């Protein structure tokens, strides 16, 4: 695939704990000819919002130190997509789900999401100055936390508005269909943006979300993946925007009473959201192995790499946690949910080289194929395989099934457009004019080689 004529402008919506940080590092280390990050918008998720912000601020700070160290070693400084473009905005967003109780994953990642990294390696952090960004304060003493101060300041600009409004501002100012939104956490910021200004939100070129458990068990409940469970109402709302008739796909709300403005504008025909998901069906098969990770980072840390030292703490803690949870003797490899989502953007959408393995043909696919209304259709996009237009829905209210993805599995005839609804078809699963139209990423070209490529990209 040829290099894009212009770098793809992206927004990354994230809740950085450990694999989010690796995903951010991957995106920011991509070639500047391919990617320009305009905004990093923060949401609650694995941890609460202040901890999320602290991790993001510290990451930018560590990248600056890493570039300084690489320069001192005569090495390429890297992170060109961050440093060859204007600094991205860092904006603070949703602190809690739209509805329902909040769930954190600090039992696995620690209360800071990074296994206590700020206390373990304080010389690499920003101390308590990150709070001034969160509180909206800006003083001479902390102005090096953001902006273009080099080398230790951290290359970002503090957002002046809540994250969902920063998302809307960028989509409004940039050319329609030019910005890709990548969601690595709960979809709350995106749902709030769509609620505030649907027409502007639909100007996005594509929304790519890590989330969902479609044909596999969940990872936070028997049926649900964490991001969708954490804010099931926001997930259901974003999925509904892919439907030919979104109001029919919305969950009823006992709290907000939210309804999609329909149609969004009397002057503009409704254009369904171009929405792709990278669910745990595929992400759980892409593993970061201990041998690959330590083989790359241990020599670098010994030589003085700030980035390797910083990452080694929280990635090492994740390996230790897996060892604690697993049956003795089983592998403690880490599932790379969020980095794989960035890999999909870089490899499939933008043609960044590396990570592919022509011999990697044993990942398997989803059984079955439905019509447009019941299940969509297969599509091989180069070396990636996706399921186009699949009717995937999100359960928002279930006592035991919150955040569950629901798909049609019955062998039933689907009514065509213009035909009557099928009698007895509760919730209208069997008609081409209803249901969601989600692109599900099913298969990548690099399951076996992904972890090595990931480490090479981040740690150079």
């Amino acid at each position: 695939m040829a290099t894009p004529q212009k770098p793809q402008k992206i927004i990354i919506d994230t809740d950085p704990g450990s694999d989010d940080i690796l995903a951010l590092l991957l995106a920011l280390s991509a070639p500047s000819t391919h990617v320009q990050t305009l905004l990093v918008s923060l949401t609650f998720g694995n941890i609460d919002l202040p901890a999320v912000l602290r991790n993001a601020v510290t990451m930018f700070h560590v990248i600056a130190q890493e570039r300084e160290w690489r320069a001192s070693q005569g090495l390429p400084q890297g992170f060109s997509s961050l440093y060859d473009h204007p600094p991205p905005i860092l904006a603070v967003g949703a602190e809690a789900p739209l509805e329902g109780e909040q769930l954190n994953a600090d039992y696995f990642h620690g209360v800071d999401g990074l296994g206590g990294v700020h206390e373990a390696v304080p010389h690499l952090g920003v101390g308590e100055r990150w709070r001034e960004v969160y509180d909206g304060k800006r003083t001479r003493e902390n102005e090096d936390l953001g902006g273009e101060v080099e080398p230790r300041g951290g290359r970002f600009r503090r957002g002046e508005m809540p994250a969902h409004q920063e998302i809307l501002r960028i989509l409004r100012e940039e050319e329609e269909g030019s910005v890709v939104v990548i969601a690595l956490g709960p979809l709350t910021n995106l749902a709030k943006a769509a609620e505030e200004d649907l027409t502007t939100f639909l100007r996005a070129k594509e929304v790519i979300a890590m989330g969902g458990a479609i044909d596999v068990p969940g990872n936070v409940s028997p049926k649900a993946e964490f991001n969708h469970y954490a804010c099931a109402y926001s997930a259901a709302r974003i999925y509904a925007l892919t439907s030919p008739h979104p109001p029919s796909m919305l969950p009823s709300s006992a709290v907000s009473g939210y309804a999609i403005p329909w149609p969004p504008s009397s002057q503009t025909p409704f254009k369904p959201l171009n929405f792709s998901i990278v669910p745990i069906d595929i992400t759980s098969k892409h593993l970061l192995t201990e041998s690959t990770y330590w083989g790359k980072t241990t020599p670098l840390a010994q030589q003085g790499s700030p980035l390797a030292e910083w990452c080694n703490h929280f990635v090492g803690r994740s390996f230790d946690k897996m060892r604690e949870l697993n049956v003795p003797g089983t592998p403690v490899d880490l599932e790379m949910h969020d980095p794989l989502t960035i890999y999909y953007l870089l490899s499939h959408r933008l043609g960044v080289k590396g990570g592919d393995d022509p011999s990697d043909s044993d990942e398997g696919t989803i059984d079955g194929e439905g019509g447009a209304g019941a299940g969509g259709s297969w599509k091989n996009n180069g070396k990636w395989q996706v399921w186009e237009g699949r009717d995937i829905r999100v359960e928002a209210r279930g006592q035991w099934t919150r955040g569950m993805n629901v798909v049609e599995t019955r062998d039933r005839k689907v009514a065509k457009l213009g035909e009557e609804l099928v009698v007895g078809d509760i919730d209208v699963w069997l008609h081409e004019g209803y249901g969601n139209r989600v692109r599900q990423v099913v298969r990548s070209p690099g399951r076996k080689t992904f972890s090595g490529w990931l480490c090479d990209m981040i740690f150079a």
Side-chain angles (χ1 to χ4, degrees):
M1 187 180 296
T3 300
Q5 292 184 349
K6 296 180 180 179
Q8 175 62 63
K9 295 178 178 179
I10 65 173
I11 293 169
I12 302 177
D13 190 74
T14 180
D15 60 329
S18 56
D19 73 323
D20 297 74
I21 289 289
L22 294 178
L24 285 166
L25 291 170
L26 177 58
L28 297 174
S29 65
S32 60
T33 52
H34 289 69
V35 177
Q36 179 183 359
T37 302
L38 303 178
L39 168 68
V40 176
S41 57
L42 303 177
T43 177
F44 81 97
N46 289 313
I47 48 176
D48 62 23
L49 193 61
V52 161
L53 177 65
R54 185 182 191 183
N55 294 344
V57 170
T58 303
M59 180 200 69
F60 283 109
H61 185 72
V62 172
I63 290 173
Q65 294 178 75
E66 176 71 7
R67 281 173 50 89
E68 181 184 17
W69 175 78
R70 290 182 186 179
S72 72
Q73 301 296 306
L75 300 172
Q77 289 182 287
F79 296 97
S80 64
S81 71
L82 176 60
Y83 280 81
D84 290 352
H85 298 296
I89 291 171
L90 181 64
V92 177
E95 297 187 75
L98 298 178
E99 301 188 26
E101 295 181 0
Q102 184 171 341
L103 171 71
N104 288 335
D106 53 10
Y107 64 91
F108 186 91
H109 300 285
V111 294
D112 68 350
L114 296 177
V117 70
H118 305 292
E119 290 71 32
V121 287
H123 56 286
L124 297 177
V126 296
E128 293 299 310
R129 290 180 297 157
W130 66 273
R131 295 186 184 275
E132 290 146 359
V133 180
Y134 182 72
D135 294 337
K137 298 176 182 177
R138 192 78 165 181
T139 67
R140 185 176 301 276
E141 288 72 24
N142 70 50
E143 63 184 4
D144 68 335
L145 280 173
E148 301 185 55
V149 179
E150 302 283 357
R152 291 181 175 273
R155 189 174 176 82
F156 68 90
R157 293 173 289 156
R158 180 171 60 90
E160 300 298 332
M161 297 185 291
H164 75 279
Q165 293 180 344
E166 291 284 5
I167 292 171
L168 290 172
R169 180 188 61 77
I170 289 173
L171 293 176
R172 195 176 293 119
E173 293 177 356
E174 298 292 336
E175 181 181 354
E176 182 172 0
S178 66
V179 178
V180 173
V181 181
I182 304 166
L184 304 178
L187 297 176
T188 317
N189 285 336
L190 276 60
K192 293 176 72 173
E195 179 177 4
E196 184 165 315
D197 188 343
L198 179 58
T199 300
T200 296
F201 183 74
L202 293 175
R203 288 170 60 89
K205 178 180 180 180
E206 182 179 7
V207 172
I208 304 173
M210 187 278 126
I214 316 303
D215 298 288
V216 298
N219 62 1
V220 72
S221 79
K223 294 294 184 180
E225 176 273 331
F226 178 89
N227 286 341
H228 285 12
Y229 184 99
C231 190
Y233 277 88
S234 68
R237 292 181 186 183
I238 295 300
Y239 276 63
L241 295 178
T242 69
S243 173
H245 192 266
S248 66
M249 294 293 101
L250 280 178
S252 62
S253 170
V255 178
S256 66
Y258 171 76
I260 290 177
W262 189 253
S265 169
S266 58
Q267 290 79 33
T268 306
F270 176 71
K271 179 189 70 172
L273 179 67
N274 182 15
F275 182 54
S276 302
I277 60 168
V278 186
I280 62 173
D281 305 51
I282 180 174
T283 63
S284 61
K285 298 175 182 177
H286 291 74
L287 306 174
L288 178 60
T289 65
E290 282 197 288
S291 59
T292 298
Y293 180 78
W294 294 122
K296 182 68 177 183
T297 63
T298 298
L300 292 172
Q302 292 171 346
Q303 295 166 29
S305 163
L307 182 61
E309 181 184 2
W310 189 62
C311 292
N312 282 357
H313 179 81
F314 61 81
V315 175
R317 286 297 181 92
S318 296
F319 282 128
D320 291 342
K321 189 65 177 181
M322 289 300 299
R323 191 171 290 106
E324 174 187 325
L325 295 174
N326 286 2
V327 175
T330 58
V332 294
D333 305 334
L334 302 178
E335 297 173 356
M336 290 287 97
H337 306 294
D338 297 329
L340 186 72
T341 306
I342 300 296
Y343 175 42
Y344 173 70
L345 171 78
L346 297 181
S347 169
H348 173 47
R349 293 302 199 208
L350 304 181
V352 174
K353 302 298 182 183
D356 297 355
D357 178 8
S359 68
D360 193 0
S361 59
D362 62 345
E363 186 174 312
T365 60
I366 297 176
D367 294 329
E369 180 176 346
S377 59
W378 292 106
K379 187 174 183 180
N380 287 305
N381 292 334
K383 299 176 182 179
W384 290 82
Q385 186 178 55
V386 299
W387 195 332
E388 290 280 1
R390 195 176 189 192
D391 184 5
I392 307 174
R393 309 184 190 183
V394 180
E395 174 56 62
R397 303 184 303 273
Q399 179 179 3
W400 311 117
T401 56
R402 168 179 163 178
M404 173 185 177
N405 287 109
V406 184
V407 295
E408 174 62 79
T409 58
R410 300 170 295 178
D411 188 16
R412 300 285 295 276
K413 179 181 178 181
V414 177
K416 303 294 184 181
L417 289 174
E419 295 181 352
E420 296 292 329
L421 298 180
V422 176
V423 176
D425 180 19
I426 299 174
D427 299 325
V428 197
W429 287 92
L430 304 174
H431 196 285
E432 287 186 354
Y434 292 80
N436 296 326
R437 300 291 184 271
V438 178
R439 179 183 301 106
Q440 178 187 345
V441 180
V442 175
R443 183 174 179 175
S444 87
R447 179 172 65 89
K448 297 176 181 177
T449 55
F450 170 70
S451 64
W453 175 80
L454 171 69
C455 291
D456 287 341
M457 285 287 290
I458 293 175
F459 299 103

